[in-house]
Amino acid sequence: MKPTAVVALGGNALLRRGDAPSFENQLANIKIAAKAIAEIAREYRVAIVHGNGPQVGLLALQNLAYDKVAPYPLDVLGAESEGMIGYMLAQELQNLMPETQVASLLTRIEVDADDPSMLDPTKFVGPVYNEDEAGILAEANNWVMKRDGEFLRRVVPSPKPMNILDKTSIDTLLDAGQMVICCGGGGIPVCRSDFGYQGVEGVIDKDLSATLLAKQLNADKLLILTDADAVYLDWGTDQQRALRSATPAELSEYEFPAGSMGPKVEAAAEFAQFGGRAYIGALEQGLDVLAEKAGTCVAV
């Protein structure tokens, strides 16, 4: 049996910062992602997790445009984005690998409704704004805005994933030889209640969900592909430098931005401590990152 790799695609890798949020732009980036994943799939059983920050934020904006009904909650918008991106990925992968079945699975992930992030949102969603735009939108919609580089973006709660409710279905599909797109957008956040499971108003970080999936699948490798070519120290300064390899202990000595590289580093370190090898790198360099010719490798 082939070894198993969980591949995590950042939402910003599928819709680059500054790109117009059009279908054409997303499709062009998904074609790049599909080509990289198809190469990996020749050597590995592959489960794909994707982000949805730009996409779910766009859906929220479209949602506000129709003011005759209350806005749909974030868990429902997350499911919409999971279906949209999953369809586009599945179609491009199937076109590249017609002999391989590709399944896109809406995936529910259990979270704690009292997770601390519910009061301190950190997950970036939607497009970037300048100071004036961000202030107007924050006041009009009761949004929280935080800085993302030189711009501002909306942030929403990002509860930590606790359990993948549809993990048995993922196992079944992988065992049947299918490539599986799952836990999209970090998965649909749900929590236990007196009436069964119910949705939670938040967006799970897809890197943490990918790590949870990799651990539950006992995967060999976790590959986090994004719009950065590696993990950098002193990012944005004259002293910035790429970190090509590190242990979890070494990474713990540095601080990384909570809404972007921080969760990726946390996810990679957690999987490395579990006993696997984790990688962070650019979407276009997927196979080279996995071969440790590019990107950042995290291992004990």
Side-chain angles (χ1 to χ4, degrees):
M1 180 184 295
K2 292 180 180 178
T4 301
V6 172
V7 179
L9 299 171
N12 289 321
L14 301 178
L15 184 59
R16 305 299 176 93
R17 289 179 176 86
D19 280 358
S22 65
F23 169 77
E24 290 77 13
N25 282 339
Q26 293 187 73
L27 182 60
N29 288 324
I30 281 175
K31 285 178 180 291
I32 295 170
K35 183 178 179 181
I37 294 169
E39 293 175 345
I40 294 166
R42 295 187 178 95
E43 301 178 24
Y44 293 86
R45 295 196 317 163
V46 174
I48 304 161
V49 178
H50 62 77
N52 71 342
Q55 294 82 4
V56 77
L58 177 61
L59 288 173
L61 288 170
Q62 293 172 337
N63 197 22
L64 287 174
Y66 187 72
D67 58 6
K68 294 181 175 59
V69 296
Y72 278 37
L74 280 171
D75 57 300
V76 174
L77 297 181
E80 289 183 23
S81 69
E82 191 173 4
M84 174 183 70
I85 299 170
Y87 152 67
M88 295 169 73
L89 272 171
Q91 182 151 280
E92 292 308 314
L93 285 165
Q94 193 81 77
N95 288 341
L96 288 171
M97 305 179 70
E99 73 286 355
T100 301
Q101 289 297 308
V102 184
S104 182
L105 180 69
L106 288 175
T107 314
R108 297 162 300 144
I109 295 187
E110 183 179 354
V111 301
D112 183 352
D114 296 320
D115 188 286
S117 75
M118 304 307 291
L119 299 176
D120 182 22
T122 58
K123 178 64 178 175
F124 289 119
V125 299
V128 296
Y129 302 102
N130 62 36
E131 296 274 356
D132 291 339
E133 293 171 328
I136 292 169
L137 287 167
E139 184 175 354
N141 302 308
N142 195 29
W143 286 354
V144 178
M145 296 286 192
K146 291 186 179 179
R147 191 159 295 281
D148 183 12
E150 61 181 302
F151 297 101
L152 291 164
R153 289 177 76 187
R154 181 188 177 191
V155 288
V156 300
S158 185
K160 287 193 174 183
M162 297 165 49
N163 184 39
I164 300 171
L165 299 184
D166 300 296
K167 190 258 182 182
T168 299
S169 297
I170 298 169
D171 272 331
T172 300
L173 291 165
L174 285 172
D175 288 344
Q178 298 199 31
M179 193 182 308
V180 186
I181 304 164
C182 56
C183 304
I188 303 165
V190 300
C191 68
R192 295 179 186 269
S193 74
D194 294 338
F195 309 101
Y197 287 104
Q198 64 179 26
V200 172
E201 184 81 0
V203 176
I204 302 171
D205 186 272
K206 69 98 183 38
D207 298 311
L208 300 184
S209 292
T211 296
L212 179 61
L213 177 64
K215 290 166 66 175
Q216 291 192 351
L217 292 176
N218 199 28
D220 300 277
K221 295 187 177 183
L222 169 65
L223 176 60
I224 299 173
L225 298 177
T226 183
D227 58 351
D229 63 355
V231 176
Y232 279 81
L233 301 180
D234 300 319
W235 174 255
T237 72
D238 293 339
Q239 290 77 40
Q240 74 176 37
R241 58 201 185 279
L243 190 62
R244 294 302 176 188
S245 64
T247 65
E250 289 169 341
L251 290 174
S252 69
E253 298 176 3
Y254 305 102
E255 289 189 12
F256 300 93
S260 53
M261 189 55 74
K264 295 172 178 56
V265 169
E266 180 184 350
E270 183 178 335
F271 185 63
Q273 289 172 326
F274 181 73
R277 296 181 75 83
Y279 305 85
I280 301 172
L283 179 62
E284 301 90 340
Q285 299 175 311
L287 202 58
D288 284 342
V289 174
L290 206 54
E292 301 183 21
K293 298 177 181 178
T296 301
C297 173
V298 182
V300 174

